[in-house]
Amino acid sequence: MDMQTRKETNATVVTINGRLDAVTAPEYEKKLNELIAGAEAGFVVDFDQLDYISSAGLRVLLATAKKLKGKGGQIRFANVKGPVKEVFDISGFGSIFQMEDSVEAALAKISA
Amino acid sequence: MITVEHLSKKFGDLVVLKDITIEINKGEVISIIGPSGTGKSTFLRCLNLLDRPSSGSISIDGVNILEAKADVPKVRQKMNMVFQSFNLFSHLSVLENLTIGPIKLRAMNKQEAEQKALNLLKLVGLAEKADNYPDELSGGQKQRVAIARCLAMDPEIILFDEPTSALDPTMVSEVLSVIRRLAKEGMTMAIVTHEMDFARDVSNRVLYMDEGLIYEEGTPQQIFENPRKEKTRAFINRIRSCNYQISSPDYDLYAMNAEIEAFCEKQILPRKTRHNLLLLVEELLQLYNPFLRTMPLDLTLSYSEKKESLELVCESKGEAVNPLAHNLLPDELGLIIINNLAASIAYSRVNDTNRVIVLMKKS
């Protein structure tokens, strides 16, 4: 698992790399929970470097979004493309989540 | 016409033919197909005694040709052979290649033998090459001369041992069209070939050889469209497969992915297909996970080169359960993904085994 975070004025940008699958999903979930517990309320998840996602990864994203919503927070996805986008589309996630073409566009939506 | 019973052939300790029993009737065209090294050519060579069978019997019109008193040259005249590498006499002209047999073995006079040879060369479309030498001919022309030479001995049956294997692809059709013509004229033939379309078109009967046996035989339609046995199916559909045993919920997904990637690499599957296959396997394993501790999973991945299709067979022994219908996960995300990646999913209970066959959508 390789996850980087950086703080922007209105949100935390989370960049995930490689694979979000049954093996890495628990670690991602743990890290995201830690961020939420640390009072972070705005998230942009950057998928630019993600090559693969399975249902295990989708569940982590869904659980994270639910937790944030419970706290009045927001989450936006950026750079969802290629095979990852296809999995989003076939699972119906494409219509559940707000997706933007760039991190900047996602950040702009959060501040809106 | 020819009856073969319990024929076997060993080379030292190596058993090439185990137990061949077959009848070949007059006018039949029999294609012999199967993987390399399964005894097809040895079978033909045993039939006309180029290789002496280790046991069994071969009878032509009721006469056992394996008896000591059998007239072997006469047998070979009745059952002539066309070889993969032509076996023409390079120091003789095309015409002489055709006349030497009839003159020396059948005491035919030279003029009659030459007239017959010219007629046969016309039949194979090479009359104008009568005075040429084999080295002056293309591969396809050499093989047509070899067929004409074979016909010059008036055989009752012709044995073809991979007649097109040594040919440039552009020359295959000219040889096959000569054989097709002979089939139309009622010549009895046994043909070892890797040309599946040809075997399907020209034959009355197809023998699939494997493990030194006639593993399956039937009409071309039966063998090519509805083979009954697993190895025949795998050969006809050019199926490659690999198998994984998963007996713990803590299986190593990445080690398995590496093996699947290597399998896909061998079959030269596109990147997208590989991605979808890895996803499908992971999702299936997620659904099987709750059952793995009590019911180990046997997963077979098969790729049919002919159909360009990928199939996953998941087998688990134990209580009757279809893990795809008993989703113990908190949602149906995995099933949704599987259904999207699959062209078909079928569950069946075979004896004490649950079997789920997933055919992947073509990507």
Side-chain angles (χ1 to χ4, degrees):
Chain A
M1 192 199 88
D2 184 10
M3 182 171 119
Q4 279 113 40
T5 57
R6 73 169 195 271
K7 188 81 184 84
E8 296 289 333
T9 48
N10 57 336
T12 299
V13 178
V14 179
T15 305
I16 51 179
N17 295 295
R19 300 173 61 89
L20 184 43
D21 56 22
V23 176
T24 59
E27 293 176 67
Y28 275 112
E29 188 165 27
K30 191 175 165 219
K31 290 252 182 185
L32 287 166
N33 283 343
E34 284 168 7
L35 288 170
I36 296 169
E40 300 291 349
F43 282 94
V44 168
V45 184
D46 184 3
F47 288 82
D48 192 49
Q49 301 298 314
L50 192 72
D51 306 317
Y52 178 97
I53 192 166
S54 66
S55 65
L58 295 178
R59 280 188 200 96
V60 170
L61 298 173
L62 198 60
T64 304
K66 276 183 182 170
K67 281 190 187 113
L68 274 173
K69 198 175 175 187
K71 291 181 71 175
Q74 295 183 65
I75 189 165
R76 292 279 194 282
F77 295 163
N79 299 316
V80 180
K81 59 192 181 183
V84 174
K85 173 82 163 56
E86 282 178 29
V87 177
F88 267 66
D89 289 342
I90 60 178
S91 60
F93 267 49
S95 55
I96 297 173
F97 288 101
Q98 308 281 328
M99 293 192 284
E100 309 300 336
D101 291 340
S102 67
V103 170
E104 291 69 30
L107 282 168
K109 285 285 165 75
I110 282 195
S111 41
Chain B
M1 183 182 180
I2 300 172
T3 305
V4 179
E5 289 182 308
H6 306 298
L7 187 80
S8 75
K9 174 66 185 171
K10 291 178 191 171
F11 293 100
D13 291 335
L14 181 68
V15 181
V16 177
L17 299 177
K18 282 182 191 161
D19 184 8
I20 304 273
T21 295
I22 186 181
E23 271 196 33
I24 301 174
N25 302 309
K26 193 169 173 55
E28 268 198 306
V29 178
I30 294 180
S31 288
I32 304 166
I33 61 170
S36 299
T38 48
K40 302 183 299 293
S41 297
T42 303
F43 174 51
L44 286 195
R45 293 175 65 84
C46 281
L47 278 183
N48 80 343
L49 306 180
L50 284 173
D51 284 329
R52 190 87 191 165
S54 304
S55 65
S57 68
I58 302 170
S59 302
I60 301 180
D61 299 328
V63 178
N64 187 354
I65 64 170
L66 297 182
E67 285 181 356
K69 62 183 180 185
D71 183 349
V72 174
K74 192 91 178 169
V75 168
R76 292 204 183 116
Q77 283 178 38
K78 281 188 173 185
M79 204 158 29
N80 216 335
M81 191 151 170
V82 173
F83 300 89
Q84 182 179 338
S85 50
F86 328 125
N87 294 13
L88 296 175
F89 297 114
S90 59
H91 64 293
L92 299 179
S93 70
V94 166
L95 193 72
E96 287 163 342
N97 262 281
L98 265 70
T99 56
I100 187 169
I103 291 171
K104 298 255 183 195
L105 295 171
R106 304 187 72 194
M108 195 181 273
N109 73 52
K110 192 181 173 194
Q111 196 183 358
E112 193 186 347
E114 285 184 350
Q115 189 51 54
K116 183 172 186 179
L118 283 170
N119 287 341
L120 289 170
L121 286 172
K122 269 187 204 161
L123 180 81
V124 298
L126 289 171
E128 62 175 8
K129 301 289 184 186
D131 296 326
N132 287 74
Y133 282 80
D135 288 348
E136 297 169 318
L137 306 178
S138 70
Q141 289 171 333
K142 281 181 199 170
Q143 194 59 297
R144 284 189 279 156
V145 170
I147 294 170
R149 181 180 63 175
C150 187
L151 292 168
M153 297 301 286
D154 291 322
E156 290 176 22
I157 175 170
I158 303 180
L159 310 176
F160 288 90
D161 186 10
E162 299 191 30
T164 58
S165 293
L167 300 179
D168 189 298
T170 57
M171 294 170 188
V172 169
S173 64
E174 64 188 76
V175 172
L176 295 185
S177 66
V178 168
I179 301 174
R180 279 181 214 274
R181 183 168 172 183
L182 294 176
K184 271 190 192 161
E185 289 171 3
M187 174 60 75
T188 312
M189 297 187 281
I191 308 161
V192 171
T193 184
H194 289 289
E195 300 283 343
M196 295 298 129
D197 290 340
F198 170 70
R200 181 201 287 251
D201 294 350
V202 82
S203 319
N204 310 110
R205 192 149 50 116
V206 178
L207 311 182
Y208 173 72
M209 282 187 71
D210 208 328
E211 302 172 351
L213 295 163
I214 296 172
Y215 184 82
E216 186 169 349
E217 67 169 286
T219 62
Q221 190 180 16
Q222 186 183 320
I223 295 293
F224 288 104
E225 288 170 26
N226 192 23
R228 289 188 301 263
K229 294 189 174 179
E230 194 180 327
K231 284 194 173 182
T232 320
R233 270 201 298 276
F235 179 80
I236 295 296
N237 293 321
R238 300 198 291 277
I239 292 174
R240 308 278 177 275
S241 57
C242 55
N243 179 268
Y244 311 93
Q245 315 277 332
I246 302 139
S247 54
S248 159
D250 303 317
Y251 59 86
D252 186 343
L253 179 67
Y254 289 173
M256 197 169 163
N257 280 353
E259 284 186 46
I260 293 172
E261 290 257 28
F263 177 80
C264 293
E265 187 77 37
K266 268 190 198 167
Q267 319 309 323
I268 324 172
L269 299 181
R271 183 183 289 267
K272 189 174 179 191
T273 305
R274 295 178 198 197
H275 176 273
N276 287 351
L277 178 60
L278 291 173
L279 184 59
L280 181 60
V281 169
E282 184 187 331
E283 299 301 346
L284 283 169
L285 289 177
Q286 286 285 296
L287 295 187
Y288 272 88
N289 199 301
F291 304 94
L292 289 177
R293 215 174 281 286
T294 51
M295 287 197 294
L297 174 64
D298 185 294
L299 194 147
T300 303
L301 166 62
S302 303
Y303 176 68
S304 166
E305 195 184 326
K306 187 181 173 192
K307 295 180 180 171
E308 294 183 343
S309 65
L310 270 164
E311 187 182 81
L312 281 158
V313 179
C314 309
E315 290 186 323
S316 52
K317 278 187 182 175
E319 61 171 310
V321 63
N322 176 5
L324 277 70
H326 291 77
N327 188 7
L328 299 179
L329 295 172
D331 54 56
E332 296 212 328
L333 274 175
L335 266 180
I336 291 169
I337 293 174
I338 291 170
N339 285 328
N340 265 281
L341 296 174
S344 69
I345 301 172
Y347 168 81
S348 60
R349 178 82 176 160
V350 184
N351 300 322
D352 60 346
T353 302
N354 302 297
R355 181 182 292 159
V356 172
I357 301 177
V358 182
L359 180 67
M360 260 188 75
K361 261 185 203 164
K362 290 181 181 171
S363 45

